[in-house]
């Protein structure tokens, strides 16, 4: 726009400067032609004092003139060009550019036909172009300053204008940013105070959210149906395997085969249970998560139930708690979180070890720690330990699915906390710490 205005303004300024100067030239030549008289076939005229005075300017331009009667020179500058022929019409006035004395001049010519004379009288007045150029340059400079001011003001307003124009986008962005990044929220975005240009985009985004919500709900229903359908046949299969194992006591090969089937069935049942627990942990049901439970009572009962299994594996299970605190999880999910960590400690800690579950309260957080005397998780593998199906290379020969820590981490995150690892040293065992913000 500045370039277009500059080009158009320059053309307009040149035209205005030329018109103003030409008007003065025309007035000057007219003041001379008005004094022309014809007496007895002779031409007489006067040069009024103001004829050339009105052309005086600060640039001190040179002024030239000439008067011809037909082809006869009357007065002025004899060698000044006179291109006007005898056929020019009476009263005609013309302007042209010409060169005279190595200078570019603007010339005005007026033809006056007197009744007593056969040939017309031609009066020419010329002026150099210094003042005319100075006037055009000053106006162009003013135009350039105005355009520079306009461009500078536009640049100054560019950032706030963009911010103002993108306010609807920022409002939509704030709606999305206000949502909890740790939860899957399919609530549609509001279209209030949204421009028509964005309303279509938001409606399409809301439709996508609805489709994703429906797909997630179908997946949850499938998980629930699968859990109901698979648990019963697996339990029946396990019961029959145990019955066969009790009856087949003589054939060692048959016993080994049945033992493999039983182990595979137990692993499949454990995997299914953990997958269902992980799916339940990742569900975003605010009513479910809003439930609180007493951590001490829940974990103490859990340890009492798991103690016989730990003893059978040759591991001593201890429980310590100074004071109780509440956890923002239902009791069943808290049990799932802690039981996965305890079972991992018992399984990988090895026979003859100890597992200690301890509850502590701190000013800003509550801590559930599970320590074991086993080798623990190496520091280089700790960032990967909570990923699904990750297992340490040294534990590949042991039974397990690699989901226990993933389930515990997901549930801890749902409770607003996180899982931390304290590496084993000579003075302390390997410890998994669940740090949960205090709700008391």
């Amino acid at each position: 726009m500045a370039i277009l205005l500059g080009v158009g303004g320059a053309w307009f300024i040149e035209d205005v400067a030329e018109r103003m100067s030409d008007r003065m030239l025309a007035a000057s030549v007219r003041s001379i032609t008005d004094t022309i008289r014809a007496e007895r076939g002779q031409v007489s005229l006067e040069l009024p004092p103001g004829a050339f005075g009105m052309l005086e300017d600060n640039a001190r331009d040179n002024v030239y003139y000439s008067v011809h009667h037909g082809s006869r020179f009357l007065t002025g500058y004899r060698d000044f060009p006179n291109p006007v022929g005898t056929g020019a019409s009476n009263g005609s006035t013309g302007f042209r550019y010409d060169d005279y004395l190595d200078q570019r001049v603007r010339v005005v010519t007026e033809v006056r036909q007197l009744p007593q004379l056969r040939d017309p009288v031609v009066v020419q007045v010329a002026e150099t172009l210094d003042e005319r150029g100075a006037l055009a340059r000053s106006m162009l400079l003013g135009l350039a300053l105005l355009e520079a001011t306009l461009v500078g003001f536009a640049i100054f307003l560019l950032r706030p204008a963009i911010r103002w124009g993108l306010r609807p986008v920022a409002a939509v962005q704030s709606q999305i940013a206000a949502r909890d990044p740790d939860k899957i929220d399919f609530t549609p975005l509001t279209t209030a105070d949204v421009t028509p240009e964005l309303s279509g985009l938001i409606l399409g985004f809301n439709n996508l959210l609805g489709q994703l919500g429906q797909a997630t709900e179908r997946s949850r229903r499938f998980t629930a149906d699968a859990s109901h359908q698979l648990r019963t046949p697996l339990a029946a299969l396990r019961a029959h395997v145990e019955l066969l194992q009790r009856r087949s006591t003589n054939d060692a090969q048959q016993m080994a085969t049945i033992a493999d089937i039983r182990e595979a069935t137990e692993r499949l049942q454990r995997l299914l249970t953990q997958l269902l627990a992980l799916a339940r942990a990742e569900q975003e049901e605010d009513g479910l998560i809003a439930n609180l439970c007493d951590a001490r009572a829940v974990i103490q009962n859990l340890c009492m139930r798991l103690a016989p299994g730990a003893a059978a594996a040759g591991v001593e299970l201890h429980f310590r708690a100074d004071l109780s605190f509440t956890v923002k999880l239902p009791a069943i999910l808290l049990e799932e979180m802690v039981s996965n960590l305890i079972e991992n400690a018992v399984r990988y800690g090895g026979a003859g070890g100890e597992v200690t579950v301890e509850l502590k309260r701190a000013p800003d957080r509550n801590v559930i720690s599970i320590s074991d005397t086993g080798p623990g998780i190496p520091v280089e593998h700790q960032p990967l330990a909570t990923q699904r199906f990750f297992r340490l290379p040294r534990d590949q020969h042991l039974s397990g699915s690699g989901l226990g820590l993933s389930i515990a981490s997901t549930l801890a995150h749902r409770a607003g906390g996180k899982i931390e690892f304290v590496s084993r040293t000579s003075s302390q065992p390997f410890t998994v710490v669940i740090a949960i913000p205090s709700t008391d």
Side-chain angles (χ1 to χ4, degrees):
M1 287 298 296
I3 292 174
L4 292 176
L5 289 175
V7 173
W11 173 83
F12 180 74
I13 286 172
E14 292 288 345
D15 183 69
V16 168
E18 185 172 275
R19 287 176 179 274
M20 292 175 59
S21 300
D22 286 352
R23 189 175 293 111
M24 299 301 296
L25 277 175
S28 175
V29 75
R30 193 167 294 110
S31 65
I32 297 175
T33 57
D34 288 344
T35 64
I36 296 176
R37 301 286 186 273
E39 296 180 358
R40 300 177 183 178
Q42 297 294 322
V43 178
S44 64
L45 73 157
E46 298 179 1
L47 296 177
F52 304 118
M54 66 179 66
L55 299 178
E56 292 181 357
D57 51 55
N58 296 328
R60 298 184 181 277
D61 280 313
N62 294 326
V63 178
Y64 309 100
Y65 72 98
S66 67
V67 181
H68 290 79
H69 175 214
S71 59
R72 184 166 64 93
F73 173 75
L74 297 180
T75 184
Y77 291 81
R78 183 179 296 274
D79 56 345
F80 194 84
N82 181 28
V84 181
T86 56
S89 60
N90 181 37
S92 63
T93 303
F95 294 90
R96 74 177 190 276
Y97 285 101
D98 212 330
D99 294 307
Y100 183 63
L101 299 179
D102 298 327
Q103 299 177 90
R104 193 69 174 167
V105 293
R106 180 68 167 172
V107 184
V108 58
T109 303
E110 185 165 336
V111 178
R112 183 63 60 88
Q113 181 71 53
L114 299 178
Q116 300 88 343
L117 302 176
R118 185 183 64 180
D119 297 326
V121 179
V122 179
V123 181
Q124 295 187 106
V125 177
E127 182 185 31
T128 54
L129 308 178
D130 295 341
E131 177 66 17
R132 185 182 301 233
L135 176 62
R137 285 191 297 272
S138 64
M139 295 174 70
L140 287 173
L141 178 60
L143 176 64
L145 291 176
L146 287 175
E147 289 207 357
T149 303
L150 175 63
V151 172
F153 188 63
I155 294 175
F156 176 76
L157 291 180
L158 187 61
R159 183 180 295 272
I162 291 177
R163 287 179 178 175
W164 179 83
L166 293 179
R167 280 189 306 173
V169 180
V172 175
Q173 181 183 6
S174 64
Q175 285 191 57
I176 299 175
R179 302 191 177 194
D180 190 346
D182 300 326
K183 296 182 179 180
I184 301 176
D185 189 356
F186 296 114
T187 305
L189 300 176
T190 62
T191 56
D193 300 328
V194 174
T195 59
E197 294 81 5
L198 283 177
S199 60
L201 175 63
I202 293 178
L203 290 176
F205 185 73
N206 288 341
N207 290 334
L208 178 60
L209 286 178
Q211 295 174 10
L212 289 175
Q214 293 174 5
T216 304
E217 185 60 30
R218 287 195 296 269
S219 176
R220 291 174 180 173
R221 287 197 301 267
F222 171 78
T223 301
D225 295 341
S227 65
H228 178 72
Q229 296 296 330
L230 292 176
R231 281 178 176 177
T232 301
L234 278 176
L237 177 61
R238 185 173 179 180
H240 286 294
V241 169
E242 290 178 354
L243 181 61
L244 284 175
Q245 192 172 22
R246 286 197 298 267
R247 291 183 176 179
S248 302
T249 57
N250 298 324
D251 191 341
Q253 183 177 3
Q254 188 176 10
M255 285 288 294
T257 301
I258 295 175
D260 291 340
I261 296 174
R262 180 178 180 179
E263 182 183 357
T265 304
E266 289 176 349
R267 291 182 62 181
L268 179 58
Q269 191 171 27
R270 173 65 181 170
L271 177 61
L272 175 62
T273 302
Q274 288 193 317
L275 286 173
L276 295 176
L278 183 60
R280 185 170 62 249
E282 292 178 343
Q283 286 181 357
E284 298 297 328
E285 298 180 6
D286 295 335
L288 182 66
I289 294 304
N291 295 332
L292 302 178
C293 67
D294 187 326
R296 178 175 179 174
V298 172
I299 297 176
Q300 186 175 8
N301 292 332
L302 175 65
C303 290
M304 292 176 64
R305 292 201 310 269
L306 296 180
V315 177
E316 294 184 9
L317 178 59
H318 303 277
F319 173 75
R320 298 193 188 104
D322 49 5
L323 295 173
S324 181
F325 54 82
T326 57
V327 177
K328 191 180 179 182
L329 277 178
I332 187 174
L333 294 187
L334 179 61
E335 285 184 359
E336 188 69 36
M337 175 175 64
V338 179
S339 66
N340 277 281
L341 298 178
I342 294 176
E343 290 174 359
N344 278 353
V346 171
R347 181 180 298 110
Y348 301 112
E354 294 183 359
V355 175
T356 302
V357 182
E358 190 172 5
L359 275 63
K360 294 182 180 179
R361 298 187 65 174
D364 58 339
R365 65 178 186 171
N366 300 318
V367 174
I368 304 171
S369 62
I370 296 91
S371 305
D372 67 82
T373 56
I377 301 176
V379 176
E380 63 272 16
H381 291 140
Q382 288 178 8
L384 304 175
T386 57
Q387 294 185 2
R388 297 182 181 184
F389 303 106
F390 174 79
R391 302 188 67 199
L392 295 175
R394 69 162 189 254
D395 298 332
Q396 297 296 324
H397 65 285
L398 299 176
S399 62
S401 59
L403 288 174
L405 282 174
S406 179
I407 294 172
S409 176
T410 301
L411 288 172
H413 197 64
R414 292 286 304 279
K418 61 180 179 179
I419 284 185
E420 302 170 354
F421 300 104
V422 179
S423 299
R424 180 178 181 178
T425 63
S426 58
S427 60
Q428 66 178 13
F430 174 77
T431 305
V432 180
V433 176
I434 305 173
I436 301 174
S438 177
T439 59
D440 297 339

